Amino acid sequence: MKLSTKHLLGIKDLTTEDIQLILSTATNFKDVLQRPVKKVPSLRDVTIVNLFYENSTRTRFSFELAEKRLSADTLNFAASNSSAAKGETLLDTVNNILSMKVDMVVMRHSASGAPHFLSKHIPAAIINAGDGINEHPTQALLDAFSMIEKFGSLKGLKVAIIGDIMHSRVALSNIYLLKKMGAEIMVAGPPTLIPKYITEALGVRVEYNVKNALQWCDVANVLRIQLERQNQPLFSSLREYNLAYGISRKLLESIGKEITIMHPGPINRGVELDSDVADGPSSIVLNQVENGVAVRMAVLYLLSGT
Ligand code: CP
């Protein structure tokens, strides 16, 4: 079976069958990753560049490890120590790298739409590793994989996405994916961090009271407050954000039911999530990171054309 698309630019472009194919292929790769020898020869002779124009820990290492587990050759590019710092354009940079016989591009960029622009100008397959405030498709796929691992299915699952929805590519990719797969979605947080008309545009419920959102959901996917994307303050202080919207053990205990806690990372501990929740028995944060490698192996394998 093949994906309906040459690139992975966003979940918006994927069919339900594409998502199912990626998740079932990831299940096979997760089995590989449990073996003493975690490497397969699937992408031998394929060369992949990881082009990171924005900081990353999880996504960058997860892609690099996925490529190594698939026996691909990898190049790692960080804009800060490259000729991009001397003013070289994105397109010149990528064309120069591709002329060295590189086959695939994994790209993170702070500009929304950067991978979409690139896809119109280069022949190689592109995987979006997060573009500005637009999409982070492999994060949504690994989140879905982790929820299915815990609950068996996404159909009818009640997922509350809590926090800075306005600036979150994780929120948008999760909303697209969860809707396609039949989950129920609520976004929750302060009114200044939730886009107006999101219900009309994306068909999700909105809740400004986090306790109400927790009472409703099976899963709380808690998002980072993205101060670096806020030109002006959108809430009074981090301390007050934590008091009004942060997830604490006391708050969870007051709900009186088990809620699975997710977070894409990096966590602002003591702001959106308290440490005893992030590290507690209901948290699957590190399972998400583990599953990211298998999911990225699946995406790379399916888009490689091998
Ligand atoms: N979840 C995520 O994208 O983390 P990084 O920014 O560390 O890659």
Side-chain angles (χ1 to χ4, degrees), residues 55-60 108 129 136 139 169-170 264-266 296:
N55 294 345
S56 169
T57 298
R58 279 146 292 274
T59 312
R60 187 164 67 89
R108 168 168 289 191
H136 192 349
Q139 180 70 46
R169 55 197 177 205
V170 175
R296 289 176 175 123

Side-chain angles (χ1 to χ4, degrees), residues 86-154:
K86 301 177 197 164
E88 190 167 34
T89 67
L90 171 64
L91 196 51
D92 276 345
T93 300
V94 175
N95 275 329
N96 277 269
I97 292 170
L98 292 183
S99 71
M100 299 181 218
K101 308 288 179 231
V102 169
D103 303 295
M104 299 176 77
V105 176
V106 173
M107 188 172 83
R108 168 168 289 191
H109 205 290
S110 56
S112 300
H116 307 69
F117 161 78
L118 207 55
S119 71
K120 293 184 172 58
H121 293 93
I122 65 165
I126 300 170
I127 298 170
N128 180 1
D131 66 317
I133 59 168
N134 181 39
E135 282 223 45
H136 192 349
T138 56
Q139 180 70 46
L141 287 159
L142 74 88
D143 288 345
F145 187 96
S146 305
M147 285 184 258
I148 293 170
E149 199 169 55
K150 171 117 197 199
F151 292 95
S153 167
L154 295 176

Side-chain angles (χ1 to χ4, degrees), residues 40-305:
V40 287
S42 314
L43 295 196
R44 205 163 50 198
D45 299 326
V46 175
T47 305
I48 303 169
V49 61
N50 300 311
L51 208 58
F52 277 71
Y53 278 83
E54 191 191 84
N55 294 345
S56 169
T57 298
R58 279 146 292 274
T59 312
R60 187 164 67 89
F61 282 120
S62 184
F63 268 112
E64 189 180 343
L65 200 52
E67 290 152 9
K68 289 185 163 138
R69 301 293 194 217
L70 291 165
S71 306
D73 293 319
T74 64
L75 295 176
N76 290 307
F77 168 99
S80 55
N81 61 10
S82 77
S83 290
K86 301 177 197 164
E88 190 167 34
T89 67
L90 171 64
L91 196 51
D92 276 345
T93 300
V94 175
N95 275 329
N96 277 269
I97 292 170
L98 292 183
S99 71
M100 299 181 218
K101 308 288 179 231
V102 169
D103 303 295
M104 299 176 77
V105 176
V106 173
M107 188 172 83
R108 168 168 289 191
H109 205 290
S110 56
S112 300
H116 307 69
F117 161 78
L118 207 55
S119 71
K120 293 184 172 58
H121 293 93
I122 65 165
I126 300 170
I127 298 170
N128 180 1
D131 66 317
I133 59 168
N134 181 39
E135 282 223 45
H136 192 349
T138 56
Q139 180 70 46
L141 287 159
L142 74 88
D143 288 345
F145 187 96
S146 305
M147 285 184 258
I148 293 170
E149 199 169 55
K150 171 117 197 199
F151 292 95
S153 167
L154 295 176
K155 201 153 188 60
L157 193 68
K158 291 183 172 162
V159 182
I161 305 174
I162 301 175
D164 185 354
I165 311 298
M166 179 90 81
H167 302 99
S168 176
R169 55 197 177 205
V170 175
L172 190 57
S173 286
N174 262 272
I175 290 168
Y176 285 139
L177 189 148
L178 291 167
K179 272 191 80 77
K180 285 175 199 264
M181 301 302 282
E184 290 184 49
I185 311 156
M186 175 182 283
V187 294
T192 49
L193 293 180
I194 296 181
K196 290 187 182 72
Y197 312 118
I198 191 170
T199 301
E200 293 83 342
L202 295 172
V204 298
R205 298 173 186 223
V206 175
E207 176 59 64
Y208 300 121
N209 181 310
V210 167
K211 187 168 181 179
N212 289 347
L214 292 172
Q215 268 159 344
W216 173 84
C217 72
D218 304 306
V219 177
N221 195 351
V222 186
L223 303 180
R224 183 171 69 89
I225 298 300
Q226 304 198 35
L227 292 173
E228 76 276 19
R229 298 194 201 281
Q230 297 179 18
N231 298 326
Q232 57 193 24
L234 292 170
F235 49 88
S236 45
S237 71
L238 292 177
R239 170 102 188 102
E240 282 171 3
Y241 182 89
N242 178 254
L243 287 174
Y245 302 101
I247 312 295
S248 63
R249 166 82 22 225
K250 196 170 154 211
L251 178 60
L252 284 179
E253 280 170 2
S254 75
I255 305 294
K257 67 166 186 168
E258 169 91 13
I259 296 165
T260 296
I261 301 292
M262 300 177 68
H263 193 300
I267 298 171
N268 291 314
R269 287 174 181 262
V271 180
E272 70 267 6
L273 204 54
D274 286 359
S275 280
D276 53 1
V277 178
D279 305 328
S282 302
S283 166
I284 60 166
V285 169
L286 293 180
N287 305 69
Q288 292 172 258
V289 179
E290 180 187 347
N291 290 333
V293 179
V295 165
R296 289 176 175 123
M297 285 173 79
V299 169
L300 289 162
Y301 172 71
L302 290 166
L303 289 177
S304 68

